[in-house]
């Protein structure tokens, strides 16, 4: 059921984002090393920039997970209730 308040009450799948970021981090580290050894500095730099972006995202994900259920509700926390406001 759509209530119109989804942007304000949406939940983020932080654990899934954590694992996807770790997967991306592994690939960018591998890509940076492989392109550096292959003598492709442009591609190595691109992978290095992506490595930096993923590291910043991973830091924010871990920060939000540590902030508790406000950002990462567990199975024991019910979904947010829709607003009770009714427009005439």
């Amino acid at each position: 059921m759509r209530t119109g308040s989804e942007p304000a009450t949406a939940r983020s799948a932080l654990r899934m984002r954590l694992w996807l970021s770790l997967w991306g981090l592994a690939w960018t580290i591998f890509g940076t090393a492989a392109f550096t050894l292959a003598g492709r500095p442009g591609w190595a730099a691109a992978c290095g920039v992506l490595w930096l972006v993923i590291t910043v995202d991973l830091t924010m994900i871990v920060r939000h997970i540590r902030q508790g259920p406000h950002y990462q509700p567990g199975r024991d926390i019910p979904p947010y209730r829709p607003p009770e406001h009714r427009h005439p």
Side-chain angles (χ1 to χ4, degrees):
M1 172 175 88
R2 291 190 50 88
T3 63
S5 67
E6 284 80 11
T9 60
R11 296 183 180 194
S12 176
L14 291 175
R15 288 184 187 94
M16 181 180 66
R17 283 181 57 197
L18 175 73
W19 288 109
L20 289 173
S21 290
L22 289 172
W23 179 253
L25 187 68
W27 276 104
T28 56
I29 291 170
F30 172 76
T32 303
F35 285 124
T36 300
L37 293 174
R40 301 284 214 163
W43 284 103
C47 285
V49 169
L50 193 56
W51 181 359
L52 179 65
V53 169
I54 291 173
T55 302
V56 170
D57 185 47
L58 193 58
T59 303
M60 292 304 297
I61 292 168
V62 170
R63 179 175 172 254
H64 282 211
I65 288 174
R66 289 185 180 193
Q67 284 180 339
H70 175 70
Y71 285 102
Q72 181 62 25
R75 290 185 171 92
D76 56 335
I77 296 176
Y80 296 108
R81 296 186 63 161
E84 299 292 330
H85 304 289
R86 293 188 182 203
H87 300 290

Coordinates of all heavy atoms in Angstrom, one line a residue:
M1 N 0.8 -1.2 0.0 CA 0.0 0.0 0.0 C 0.9 1.2 0.0 O 1.8 1.4 0.8 CB -0.9 0.0 1.2 CG -1.7 1.3 1.4 SD -2.8 1.2 2.8 CE -1.8 1.7 4.1
R2 N 0.7 2.1 -0.9 CA 1.4 3.4 -1.0 C 0.7 4.4 -0.2 O -0.5 4.6 -0.2 CB 1.5 3.9 -2.4 CG 2.4 3.0 -3.3 CD 2.7 3.6 -4.6 NE 3.2 4.9 -4.6 CZ 4.5 5.3 -4.4 NH1 5.4 4.4 -4.3 NH2 4.8 6.6 -4.4
T3 N 1.5 5.1 0.6 CA 1.0 6.2 1.5 C 1.4 7.6 1.1 O 0.9 8.5 1.6 CB 1.4 6.0 2.9 OG1 2.8 6.1 3.0 CG2 0.9 4.6 3.4
G4 N 2.4 7.6 0.2 CA 2.9 8.9 -0.2 C 4.0 9.4 0.7 O 4.7 10.5 0.5
S5 N 4.3 8.7 1.8 CA 5.4 9.1 2.7 C 6.6 8.2 2.5 O 7.5 8.2 3.4 CB 4.9 9.0 4.1 OG 4.6 7.6 4.5
E6 N 6.7 7.4 1.5 CA 7.8 6.5 1.3 C 9.2 7.1 1.4 O 10.1 6.5 2.0 CB 7.7 5.7 0.0 CG 6.6 4.6 0.1 CD 5.2 5.1 -0.1 OE1 5.1 6.3 -0.5 OE2 4.3 4.4 0.1
P7 N 9.5 8.2 0.8 CA 10.8 8.8 1.0 C 11.2 9.1 2.4 O 12.3 8.9 2.8 CB 10.8 10.1 0.1 CG 9.7 9.9 -0.9 CD 8.7 9.0 -0.1
A8 N 10.2 9.5 3.2 CA 10.5 9.8 4.6 C 10.6 8.6 5.5 O 11.2 8.6 6.5 CB 9.4 10.7 5.2
T9 N 9.9 7.5 5.1 CA 9.9 6.3 6.0 C 10.6 5.1 5.3 O 10.5 4.0 5.8 CB 8.4 5.9 6.3 OG1 7.8 5.6 5.0 CG2 7.7 7.0 7.0
A10 N 11.3 5.3 4.3 CA 12.0 4.2 3.6 C 13.1 3.6 4.4 O 13.8 4.3 5.2 CB 12.6 4.7 2.2
R11 N 13.4 2.4 4.2 CA 14.5 1.7 4.9 C 15.5 1.3 3.9 O 15.2 1.0 2.7 CB 14.0 0.4 5.6 CG 13.0 0.8 6.7 CD 12.6 -0.5 7.4 NE 11.7 -0.2 8.5 CZ 11.4 -1.1 9.4 NH1 11.9 -2.3 9.4 NH2 10.5 -0.8 10.3
S12 N 16.8 1.3 4.3 CA 17.9 0.9 3.4 C 18.4 -0.5 3.7 O 18.5 -0.8 4.9 CB 19.0 1.9 3.5 OG 20.1 1.5 2.7
A13 N 18.6 -1.2 2.7 CA 19.2 -2.6 2.9 C 20.7 -2.5 3.1 O 21.5 -2.8 2.2 CB 18.9 -3.5 1.7
L14 N 21.1 -2.0 4.3 CA 22.5 -1.8 4.6 C 23.4 -3.0 4.6 O 24.5 -2.9 4.1 CB 22.6 -1.0 5.9 CG 22.1 0.4 5.9 CD1 22.2 1.0 7.3 CD2 22.8 1.3 5.0
R15 N 22.9 -4.1 5.0 CA 23.7 -5.3 5.0 C 24.0 -5.8 3.6 O 25.1 -6.2 3.3 CB 23.0 -6.4 5.8 CG 23.1 -6.2 7.3 CD 22.4 -7.3 8.1 NE 22.4 -7.0 9.5 CZ 21.3 -6.4 10.1 NH1 20.2 -6.2 9.4 NH2 21.3 -6.1 11.3
M16 N 23.0 -5.7 2.7 CA 23.2 -6.0 1.3 C 24.2 -5.0 0.7 O 25.1 -5.5 0.0 CB 21.9 -6.0 0.6 CG 22.1 -6.4 -0.9 SD 20.5 -6.4 -1.8 CE 20.1 -4.7 -1.8
R17 N 24.0 -3.7 1.0 CA 25.0 -2.7 0.5 C 26.4 -3.0 1.0 O 27.4 -2.8 0.3 CB 24.5 -1.3 0.9 CG 23.4 -0.8 0.0 CD 23.0 0.6 0.4 NE 24.1 1.5 0.3 CZ 24.1 2.7 0.9 NH1 23.1 3.1 1.6 NH2 25.2 3.5 0.8
L18 N 26.5 -3.5 2.2 CA 27.8 -3.8 2.8 C 28.5 -4.9 2.0 O 29.7 -4.7 1.6 CB 27.7 -4.2 4.3 CG 29.0 -4.6 5.0 CD1 29.9 -3.4 5.2 CD2 28.6 -5.4 6.2
W19 N 27.8 -6.0 1.8 CA 28.4 -7.1 1.0 C 28.7 -6.7 -0.4 O 29.7 -7.1 -1.0 CB 27.5 -8.3 1.1 CG 27.5 -8.9 2.5 CD1 26.6 -8.9 3.4 CD2 28.7 -9.5 3.1 NE1 27.0 -9.5 4.5 CE2 28.3 -9.9 4.4 CE3 30.0 -9.8 2.7 CZ2 29.2 -10.6 5.3 CZ3 30.8 -10.5 3.5 CH2 30.4 -10.8 4.8
L20 N 27.8 -5.9 -1.1 CA 28.1 -5.5 -2.4 C 29.3 -4.5 -2.5 O 30.1 -4.6 -3.4 CB 26.8 -4.8 -3.0 CG 25.7 -5.8 -3.4 CD1 24.5 -5.0 -3.8 CD2 26.1 -6.8 -4.4
S21 N 29.4 -3.7 -1.5 CA 30.6 -2.8 -1.4 C 31.9 -3.6 -1.2 O 32.9 -3.3 -1.8 CB 30.4 -1.8 -0.3 OG 29.4 -0.8 -0.7
L22 N 31.8 -4.6 -0.4 CA 33.0 -5.4 -0.2 C 33.4 -6.2 -1.4 O 34.6 -6.3 -1.8 CB 32.8 -6.4 1.0 CG 32.7 -5.8 2.4 CD1 32.3 -6.8 3.4 CD2 34.1 -5.2 2.7
W23 N 32.4 -6.6 -2.2 CA 32.6 -7.3 -3.5 C 33.3 -6.3 -4.5 O 34.2 -6.6 -5.1 CB 31.3 -7.9 -4.0 CG 31.4 -8.6 -5.3 CD1 31.0 -8.1 -6.5 CD2 32.0 -9.8 -5.6 NE1 31.2 -9.0 -7.5 CE2 31.9 -10.1 -6.9 CE3 32.6 -10.8 -4.8 CZ2 32.3 -11.3 -7.5 CZ3 33.1 -11.9 -5.4 CH2 33.0 -12.2 -6.7
G24 N 32.7 -5.1 -4.5 CA 33.3 -4.1 -5.4 C 34.7 -3.7 -5.0 O 35.5 -3.4 -5.8
L25 N 34.9 -3.6 -3.7 CA 36.2 -3.2 -3.2 C 37.3 -4.3 -3.6 O 38.4 -3.9 -4.1 CB 36.2 -3.1 -1.7 CG 37.4 -2.6 -1.0 CD1 37.6 -1.1 -1.3 CD2 37.3 -2.8 0.5
A26 N 36.9 -5.5 -3.5 CA 37.8 -6.6 -3.9 C 38.2 -6.5 -5.4 O 39.3 -6.6 -5.8 CB 37.2 -8.0 -3.6
W27 N 37.1 -6.2 -6.2 CA 37.4 -6.1 -7.7 C 38.2 -4.9 -8.0 O 39.0 -4.9 -9.0 CB 36.1 -6.2 -8.4 CG 35.6 -7.6 -8.7 CD1 34.6 -8.2 -8.0 CD2 36.2 -8.5 -9.6 NE1 34.5 -9.5 -8.5 CE2 35.5 -9.7 -9.4 CE3 37.2 -8.5 -10.5 CZ2 35.8 -10.9 -10.2 CZ3 37.5 -9.6 -11.2 CH2 36.8 -10.8 -11.1
T28 N 37.9 -3.8 -7.4 CA 38.7 -2.6 -7.7 C 40.2 -2.7 -7.3 O 41.1 -2.2 -8.0 CB 38.1 -1.3 -7.1 OG1 38.0 -1.5 -5.7 CG2 36.7 -1.0 -7.7
I29 N 40.4 -3.3 -6.1 CA 41.8 -3.6 -5.7 C 42.5 -4.5 -6.7 O 43.6 -4.2 -7.2 CB 41.8 -4.2 -4.3 CG1 41.4 -3.1 -3.3 CG2 43.2 -4.7 -4.0 CD1 41.2 -3.7 -1.9
F30 N 41.8 -5.5 -7.1 CA 42.4 -6.4 -8.1 C 42.6 -5.7 -9.5 O 43.6 -5.9 -10.1 CB 41.4 -7.6 -8.3 CG 41.8 -8.5 -9.5 CD1 42.9 -9.4 -9.4 CD2 41.1 -8.5 -10.7 CE1 43.3 -10.2 -10.4 CE2 41.5 -9.3 -11.8 CZ 42.6 -10.1 -11.6
G31 N 41.6 -4.9 -9.9 CA 41.7 -4.2 -11.1 C 42.9 -3.2 -11.1 O 43.6 -3.1 -12.1
T32 N 43.0 -2.5 -10.0 CA 44.1 -1.5 -9.9 C 45.4 -2.2 -10.0 O 46.3 -1.8 -10.8 CB 44.0 -0.7 -8.6 OG1 42.7 -0.1 -8.5 CG2 45.1 0.3 -8.5
A33 N 45.6 -3.3 -9.3 CA 46.9 -4.0 -9.3 C 47.1 -4.6 -10.7 O 48.2 -4.5 -11.2 CB 46.8 -5.1 -8.2
A34 N 46.1 -5.2 -11.3 CA 46.3 -5.9 -12.6 C 46.6 -4.9 -13.7 O 47.5 -5.1 -14.5 CB 45.0 -6.7 -13.0
F35 N 45.9 -3.8 -13.7 CA 46.2 -2.8 -14.7 C 47.5 -2.1 -14.5 O 48.2 -1.7 -15.5 CB 45.1 -1.7 -14.8 CG 43.8 -2.3 -15.5 CD1 42.6 -2.2 -14.9 CD2 43.9 -2.8 -16.8 CE1 41.5 -2.7 -15.5 CE2 42.8 -3.3 -17.4 CZ 41.5 -3.3 -16.8
T36 N 47.9 -1.9 -13.3 CA 49.3 -1.4 -13.0 C 50.3 -2.3 -13.5 O 51.3 -1.9 -14.2 CB 49.4 -1.1 -11.5 OG1 48.4 -0.2 -11.1 CG2 50.8 -0.5 -11.2
L37 N 50.2 -3.6 -13.2 CA 51.2 -4.6 -13.7 C 51.2 -4.7 -15.2 O 52.2 -5.1 -15.8 CB 50.9 -5.9 -13.0 CG 51.2 -6.0 -11.5 CD1 50.7 -7.3 -10.9 CD2 52.6 -5.7 -11.2
A38 N 50.0 -4.5 -15.8 CA 49.9 -4.7 -17.3 C 50.4 -3.4 -18.0 O 50.4 -3.4 -19.2 CB 48.5 -5.0 -17.7
G39 N 50.7 -2.4 -17.3 CA 51.2 -1.1 -17.9 C 50.1 -0.3 -18.5 O 50.3 0.4 -19.5
R40 N 48.9 -0.3 -17.9 CA 47.8 0.5 -18.4 C 47.5 1.5 -17.3 O 46.6 1.3 -16.5 CB 46.6 -0.4 -18.6 CG 46.8 -1.5 -19.6 CD 46.7 -0.9 -21.0 NE 46.1 -1.8 -21.9 CZ 45.7 -1.5 -23.0 NH1 45.7 -0.3 -23.4 NH2 45.2 -2.4 -23.8
P41 N 48.2 2.7 -17.3 CA 48.0 3.6 -16.2 C 46.6 4.3 -16.2 O 46.1 4.6 -15.1 CB 49.1 4.7 -16.4 CG 49.5 4.5 -17.8 CD 49.2 3.1 -18.2
G42 N 46.0 4.5 -17.3 CA 44.7 5.1 -17.4 C 43.6 4.2 -16.7 O 42.8 4.7 -15.9
W43 N 43.6 3.0 -17.1 CA 42.7 2.0 -16.5 C 43.0 1.8 -15.0 O 42.0 1.7 -14.2 CB 42.7 0.7 -17.2 CG 41.9 0.8 -18.5 CD1 42.5 0.8 -19.7 CD2 40.5 0.8 -18.7 NE1 41.5 0.9 -20.7 CE2 40.3 0.9 -20.1 CE3 39.4 0.8 -17.8 CZ2 39.0 0.9 -20.6 CZ3 38.2 0.8 -18.3 CH2 38.0 0.9 -19.7
A44 N 44.2 1.8 -14.6 CA 44.6 1.7 -13.2 C 44.1 2.9 -12.4 O 43.6 2.7 -11.3 CB 46.1 1.5 -13.1
A45 N 44.2 4.1 -13.0 CA 43.7 5.3 -12.3 C 42.2 5.2 -12.2 O 41.7 5.6 -11.1 CB 44.2 6.5 -13.1
A46 N 41.5 4.8 -13.2 CA 40.1 4.7 -13.1 C 39.6 3.7 -12.0 O 38.7 4.0 -11.3 CB 39.5 4.2 -14.5
C47 N 40.3 2.6 -11.9 CA 40.0 1.6 -10.9 C 40.4 2.2 -9.5 O 39.7 2.0 -8.5 CB 40.8 0.3 -11.1 SG 40.1 -0.7 -12.4
G48 N 41.4 3.0 -9.4 CA 41.8 3.6 -8.2 C 40.8 4.6 -7.7 O 40.5 4.7 -6.5
V49 N 40.2 5.4 -8.7 CA 39.2 6.4 -8.3 C 38.0 5.6 -7.8 O 37.3 6.0 -6.8 CB 38.9 7.3 -9.5 CG1 37.6 8.1 -9.2 CG2 40.1 8.2 -9.8
L50 N 37.6 4.6 -8.5 CA 36.4 3.8 -8.1 C 36.7 3.1 -6.7 O 35.8 3.1 -5.9 CB 36.1 2.7 -9.2 CG 34.8 2.0 -9.0 CD1 33.7 3.0 -9.0 CD2 34.7 1.0 -10.2
W51 N 37.9 2.7 -6.5 CA 38.3 2.2 -5.2 C 38.1 3.2 -4.1 O 37.5 2.9 -3.0 CB 39.8 1.8 -5.3 CG 40.4 1.1 -4.0 CD1 39.8 0.9 -2.8 CD2 41.7 0.7 -3.9 NE1 40.7 0.3 -2.0 CE2 41.9 0.1 -2.6 CE3 42.8 0.6 -4.8 CZ2 43.1 -0.4 -2.2 CZ3 44.0 0.1 -4.3 CH2 44.1 -0.4 -3.0
L52 N 38.4 4.4 -4.3 CA 38.2 5.5 -3.4 C 36.7 5.8 -3.1 O 36.3 5.9 -2.0 CB 38.9 6.8 -3.9 CG 38.7 8.0 -3.0 CD1 39.4 7.8 -1.6 CD2 39.3 9.3 -3.7
V53 N 35.9 5.8 -4.2 CA 34.5 6.0 -4.0 C 33.9 4.9 -3.2 O 33.0 5.1 -2.3 CB 33.8 6.1 -5.4 CG1 32.3 6.1 -5.3 CG2 34.3 7.4 -6.1
I54 N 34.2 3.6 -3.5 CA 33.7 2.5 -2.8 C 34.1 2.5 -1.3 O 33.3 2.2 -0.4 CB 34.1 1.2 -3.5 CG1 33.4 1.0 -4.8 CG2 33.8 0.0 -2.6 CD1 33.9 -0.1 -5.6
T55 N 35.3 2.9 -1.0 CA 35.8 3.0 0.3 C 35.0 4.1 1.1 O 34.6 3.8 2.3 CB 37.3 3.4 0.4 OG1 38.0 2.4 -0.4 CG2 37.8 3.4 1.8
V56 N 34.7 5.2 0.5 CA 33.9 6.2 1.2 C 32.5 5.7 1.4 O 31.9 5.9 2.5 CB 33.9 7.5 0.4 CG1 32.9 8.5 0.9 CG2 35.3 8.2 0.3
D57 N 31.9 5.0 0.4 CA 30.6 4.4 0.6 C 30.6 3.4 1.7 O 29.7 3.3 2.5 CB 30.1 3.9 -0.7 CG 28.7 3.4 -0.6 OD1 27.8 4.1 -0.1 OD2 28.4 2.2 -1.1
L58 N 31.6 2.6 1.7 CA 31.7 1.5 2.7 C 31.8 2.1 4.1 O 31.2 1.6 5.1 CB 32.9 0.6 2.4 CG 33.1 -0.7 3.2 CD1 31.8 -1.6 3.0 CD2 34.3 -1.4 2.7
T59 N 32.5 3.2 4.3 CA 32.6 3.9 5.5 C 31.3 4.4 6.0 O 30.9 4.3 7.2 CB 33.6 5.1 5.4 OG1 34.9 4.6 5.0 CG2 33.8 5.8 6.7
M60 N 30.5 5.0 5.1 CA 29.2 5.5 5.4 C 28.2 4.4 5.8 O 27.4 4.5 6.7 CB 28.6 6.3 4.3 CG 29.3 7.6 4.0 SD 29.4 8.7 5.5 CE 27.7 9.0 5.7
I61 N 28.3 3.3 5.1 CA 27.5 2.1 5.4 C 27.8 1.6 6.8 O 26.8 1.4 7.6 CB 27.7 1.0 4.4 CG1 27.1 1.4 3.0 CG2 27.0 -0.3 4.8 CD1 27.5 0.5 1.9
V62 N 29.0 1.4 7.1 CA 29.4 0.9 8.5 C 29.0 1.9 9.5 O 28.5 1.5 10.6 CB 30.9 0.6 8.5 CG1 31.4 0.4 10.0 CG2 31.3 -0.5 7.6
R63 N 29.1 3.2 9.3 CA 28.7 4.2 10.2 C 27.2 4.1 10.5 O 26.7 4.2 11.6 CB 29.0 5.6 9.7 CG 28.6 6.7 10.6 CD 29.1 8.1 10.0 NE 28.5 9.1 10.8 CZ 27.6 9.9 10.3 NH1 27.1 9.8 9.1 NH2 27.1 10.9 11.1
H64 N 26.4 4.0 9.4 CA 24.9 3.9 9.6 C 24.5 2.6 10.3 O 23.6 2.6 11.1 CB 24.2 4.0 8.3 CG 24.2 5.4 7.8 ND1 23.1 5.8 7.0 CD2 25.0 6.4 7.9 CE1 23.3 7.1 6.7 NE2 24.4 7.5 7.3
I65 N 25.2 1.5 10.1 CA 24.9 0.2 10.7 C 25.2 0.4 12.2 O 24.4 -0.1 13.1 CB 25.7 -0.9 10.1 CG1 25.2 -1.3 8.8 CG2 25.7 -2.1 11.1 CD1 26.0 -2.3 8.0
R66 N 26.3 1.1 12.6 CA 26.7 1.2 14.0 C 25.8 2.2 14.7 O 25.7 2.2 15.9 CB 28.1 1.7 14.1 CG 29.1 0.6 13.8 CD 30.5 1.0 14.0 NE 31.4 -0.1 13.7 CZ 32.6 -0.1 14.0 NH1 33.2 0.9 14.7 NH2 33.4 -1.1 13.7
Q67 N 25.0 3.1 14.0 CA 24.1 4.0 14.6 C 22.9 3.4 15.2 O 22.1 4.0 15.9 CB 23.8 5.1 13.7 CG 24.9 6.1 13.5 CD 24.5 7.2 12.5 OE1 23.6 7.1 11.7 NE2 25.2 8.3 12.6
G68 N 22.7 2.1 14.8 CA 21.6 1.4 15.4 C 20.3 1.3 14.6 O 20.3 1.6 13.4
P69 N 19.2 0.9 15.3 CA 18.0 0.6 14.5 C 17.3 1.8 13.8 O 16.5 1.6 13.0 CB 17.0 0.1 15.6 CG 17.7 0.3 16.9 CD 19.1 0.7 16.7
H70 N 17.7 3.0 14.2 CA 17.2 4.2 13.4 C 17.5 4.0 11.9 O 16.7 4.3 11.1 CB 17.7 5.5 14.0 CG 17.2 6.7 13.2 ND1 15.9 7.1 13.2 CD2 17.9 7.5 12.3 CE1 15.8 8.1 12.4 NE2 17.0 8.4 11.9
Y71 N 18.7 3.6 11.6 CA 19.2 3.5 10.3 C 19.1 2.0 9.8 O 18.9 1.8 8.6 CB 20.6 4.0 10.1 CG 20.7 5.5 10.1 CD1 21.1 6.2 11.2 CD2 20.3 6.2 9.0 CE1 21.1 7.5 11.2 CE2 20.3 7.5 9.0 CZ 20.7 8.2 10.1 OH 20.7 9.6 10.1
Q72 N 19.2 1.1 10.7 CA 19.2 -0.3 10.2 C 18.3 -1.1 11.2 O 18.7 -1.7 12.1 CB 20.6 -0.9 10.3 CG 20.7 -2.3 9.9 CD 20.3 -2.5 8.5 OE1 20.4 -1.6 7.7 NE2 19.9 -3.7 8.1
P73 N 17.0 -1.0 10.9 CA 16.1 -1.8 11.7 C 16.2 -3.3 11.5 O 16.5 -3.8 10.4 CB 14.7 -1.3 11.2 CG 14.9 -0.7 9.9 CD 16.3 -0.3 9.8
G74 N 16.1 -4.0 12.6 CA 16.2 -5.4 12.6 C 14.9 -6.1 12.4 O 13.9 -5.4 12.1
R75 N 14.8 -7.4 12.5 CA 13.6 -8.1 12.3 C 12.6 -7.9 13.4 O 11.4 -8.0 13.2 CB 13.9 -9.6 12.1 CG 14.6 -9.9 10.9 CD 14.7 -11.5 10.7 NE 15.3 -11.8 9.5 CZ 16.5 -11.9 9.2 NH1 17.4 -11.8 10.1 NH2 16.9 -12.3 8.0
D76 N 13.1 -7.5 14.6 CA 12.2 -7.2 15.7 C 11.5 -5.9 15.7 O 10.6 -5.6 16.5 CB 12.9 -7.4 17.0 CG 14.1 -6.6 17.1 OD1 14.7 -6.2 16.1 OD2 14.6 -6.3 18.2
I77 N 11.9 -5.0 14.8 CA 11.3 -3.6 14.7 C 10.3 -3.6 13.5 O 10.7 -3.9 12.4 CB 12.4 -2.6 14.4 CG1 13.4 -2.6 15.7 CG2 11.8 -1.2 14.2 CD1 14.5 -1.7 15.5
P78 N 9.1 -3.3 13.9 CA 8.0 -3.3 12.8 C 8.2 -2.2 11.8 O 8.9 -1.2 12.1 CB 6.7 -3.2 13.6 CG 7.1 -2.5 14.9 CD 8.5 -3.0 15.2
P79 N 7.6 -2.3 10.7 CA 7.6 -1.2 9.7 C 7.0 0.1 10.3 O 6.2 0.0 11.2 CB 6.8 -1.7 8.5 CG 6.6 -3.1 8.8 CD 6.8 -3.4 10.2
Y80 N 7.4 1.2 9.7 CA 6.8 2.4 10.2 C 5.4 2.5 9.9 O 4.9 2.0 8.8 CB 7.5 3.6 9.5 CG 9.0 3.8 9.8 CD1 10.0 3.4 8.9 CD2 9.4 4.2 11.1 CE1 11.3 3.6 9.2 CE2 10.7 4.3 11.4 CZ 11.7 4.0 10.5 OH 13.0 4.1 10.8
R81 N 4.6 3.1 10.7 CA 3.2 3.3 10.5 C 3.0 4.4 9.5 O 3.6 5.4 9.6 CB 2.4 3.6 11.8 CG 2.6 2.4 12.8 CD 1.7 2.7 13.9 NE 0.3 2.8 13.5 CZ -0.7 2.7 14.3 NH1 -0.5 2.6 15.5 NH2 -1.9 2.8 13.8
P82 N 2.0 4.2 8.6 CA 1.7 5.3 7.7 C 1.1 6.5 8.4 O 0.5 6.4 9.5 CB 0.7 4.8 6.7 CG 0.3 3.5 7.2 CD 1.2 3.1 8.3
P83 N 1.3 7.7 7.9 CA 0.8 8.9 8.6 C -0.7 8.8 8.6 O -1.4 8.3 7.7 CB 1.3 10.1 7.7 CG 1.7 9.5 6.4 CD 2.0 8.1 6.7
E84 N -1.3 9.4 9.6 CA -2.7 9.4 9.8 C -3.4 10.6 9.2 O -4.6 10.8 9.4 CB -3.1 9.4 11.3 CG -2.5 8.2 12.1 CD -3.2 6.9 11.7 OE1 -4.4 6.9 11.3 OE2 -2.5 5.8 11.7
H85 N -2.7 11.4 8.5 CA -3.3 12.6 7.9 C -4.1 12.3 6.7 O -3.8 11.5 5.9 CB -2.1 13.6 7.4 CG -1.2 13.9 8.5 ND1 -1.5 14.7 9.5 CD2 0.1 13.6 8.7 CE1 -0.4 14.9 10.3 NE2 0.6 14.2 9.8
R86 N -5.3 12.9 6.7 CA -6.2 12.7 5.6 C -6.6 14.0 5.0 O -7.0 14.9 5.7 CB -7.5 11.9 6.0 CG -7.2 10.5 6.4 CD -8.4 9.8 6.6 NE -8.0 8.4 7.1 CZ -8.8 7.4 6.9 NH1 -10.0 7.5 6.4 NH2 -8.4 6.2 7.3
H87 N -6.4 14.1 3.7 CA -6.8 15.4 3.0 C -8.3 15.4 2.6 O -8.8 14.4 2.2 CB -5.9 15.6 1.8 CG -4.4 15.7 2.2 ND1 -3.9 16.7 2.9 CD2 -3.4 14.8 2.0 CE1 -2.6 16.5 3.0 NE2 -2.3 15.3 2.5
P88 N -8.9 16.6 2.8 CA -10.4 16.6 2.5 C -10.6 16.5 1.0 O -9.9 16.7 0.1 CB -10.8 17.9 3.0 CG -9.6 18.7 3.3 CD -8.5 17.8 3.4

